[in-house]
Amino acid sequence: MKNYAKLDEVLYHIGFAPKAIEGAELAILPGDPGRVEFLAKALGENASFVACHREYTSWITEINGCKVLVCSTGMGGPAVGICLEELARVGIKKVIRVGTTGSIQPEIALGDVIIDKASVRLDGTSTHYAPVEFPAVADFELTMALAASAKNLGIKAHLGIAVSSDTFYPGQERYDSFTGYVPRRFQGTLKEWQALGAANYEMETSALFVVSQALGIKAAALCGVVAQRTESEAVVTGDFYNSAMEKIVKIIQKAEV
Ligand code: URA
């Protein structure tokens, strides 16, 4: 039996009860709590604050007459796992991650949008829900609805495979860290993921896909490119970030989800 929360039962981490989200079944999930208010207002109408506890900031908005929750997941798999467990209990059925990412293919540029259809499980959280042999895949229909929306809008969106790492530095083979050391396990892995045709590094999507599957939630993920790893290890935000977010907002607004 599914353990739904009572209407006025406040969930510990996300800090709100089912009644606060007014029947919303879709949640938009940025990683950063600082992006939630902007996204809620940009995506829809009548946006209002719901709760703020730890890394979970939540607003409710209305897209085409439907209530939609916007809730930050925080960074990394563990925070995503907690968020999904509690969102399932308040009645969320579909989630769309809105993240930032580093491209690892030369044709995917800064400011571009990537829709991840699957993910390499370089995280720990997903192994607590399913054995490593189990795939981290997006919900097909939700993903294709986002891809179709991008196509109809004339927005270029790359459909790709993410590499979701628990670490920003060694797991994404970054040498510009404090010590500059990358353990042997990760040395040469950037080249290997490139050779296999993976599109991008990020830190949440494999946990999102596997935990959602385990809970019976439909999940998709969209990322804006803020690092181009065939050129540099640096993250470049500003205009590239803003242009990717503008495109992502339009894609979600017009998607038939
Ligand atoms: N987020 C990541 O995890 N990696 C990047 O390179 C950029 C954003």
Side-chain angles (χ1 to χ4, degrees):
M1 205 182 65
K2 302 264 168 79
N3 181 19
Y4 288 106
K6 294 189 189 74
L7 206 58
D8 58 357
E9 181 183 348
V10 174
L11 279 290
Y12 174 65
H13 296 92
I14 57 176
F16 60 85
K19 70 176 180 194
I21 62 169
E22 304 170 52
E25 293 194 348
L26 170 66
I28 308 301
L29 306 179
D32 181 356
R35 294 182 209 146
V36 172
E37 178 175 355
F38 158 77
L39 274 172
K41 290 178 175 169
L43 280 166
E45 294 171 333
N46 305 319
S48 63
F49 173 78
V50 174
C52 176
H53 185 228
R54 296 178 177 236
E55 55 265 74
Y56 308 108
T57 293
S58 299
W59 280 60
I60 192 92
T61 190
E62 219 173 287
I63 307 178
N64 304 323
C66 280
K67 294 287 180 188
V68 175
L69 176 69
V70 184
C71 173
S72 52
T73 60
M75 273 190 283
V80 169
I82 291 170
C83 185
L84 290 170
E85 284 276 359
E86 297 191 4
L87 291 185
R89 293 200 61 211
V90 299
I92 292 297
K93 309 272 188 261
K94 287 182 194 174
V95 294
I96 300 174
R97 162 167 154 71
V98 172
T100 52
T101 194
S103 161
I104 62 172
Q105 296 294 344
E107 71 278 11
I108 306 179
L110 288 166
D112 279 4
V113 173
I114 301 174
I115 300 173
D116 284 312
K117 58 185 175 181
S119 176
V120 178
R121 294 174 59 189
L122 275 193
D123 74 294
T125 300
S126 70
T127 67
H128 291 212
Y129 283 82
V132 288
E133 295 82 2
F134 195 83
V137 283
D139 179 77
F140 183 73
E141 283 179 6
L142 195 52
T143 300
M144 291 318 289
L146 294 168
S149 171
K151 194 171 176 199
N152 292 339
L153 289 160
I155 294 172
K156 183 171 67 178
H158 308 269
L159 208 54
I161 296 172
V163 178
S164 303
S165 164
D166 266 352
T167 52
F168 184 81
Y169 290 96
Q172 300 184 18
E173 209 186 345
R174 277 192 161 86
Y175 294 91
D176 66 348
S177 61
F178 184 56
T179 63
Y181 180 67
V182 171
R184 262 191 307 175
R185 173 185 172 203
F186 292 116
Q187 288 176 25
T189 50
L190 171 56
K191 266 201 160 25
E192 190 164 338
W193 303 129
Q194 285 169 334
L196 289 165
N200 61 303
Y201 274 133
E202 54 76 72
M203 299 179 66
E204 287 81 21
T205 296
S206 58
L208 182 93
F209 288 167
V210 174
V211 178
S212 293
Q213 175 69 30
L215 300 179
I217 292 174
K218 294 174 192 250
L222 288 158
C223 287
V225 177
V226 295
Q228 216 316 338
R229 295 294 309 277
T230 61
E231 303 284 331
S232 146
E233 294 186 3
V235 170
V236 189
T237 51
D239 288 349
F240 292 115
Y241 171 80
N242 293 335
S243 111
M245 284 304 137
E246 248 175 58
K247 290 182 261 189
I248 286 173
V249 163
K250 286 186 192 149
I251 293 169
I252 294 173
Q253 280 173 327
K254 297 289 180 198
E256 288 181 26
V257 297

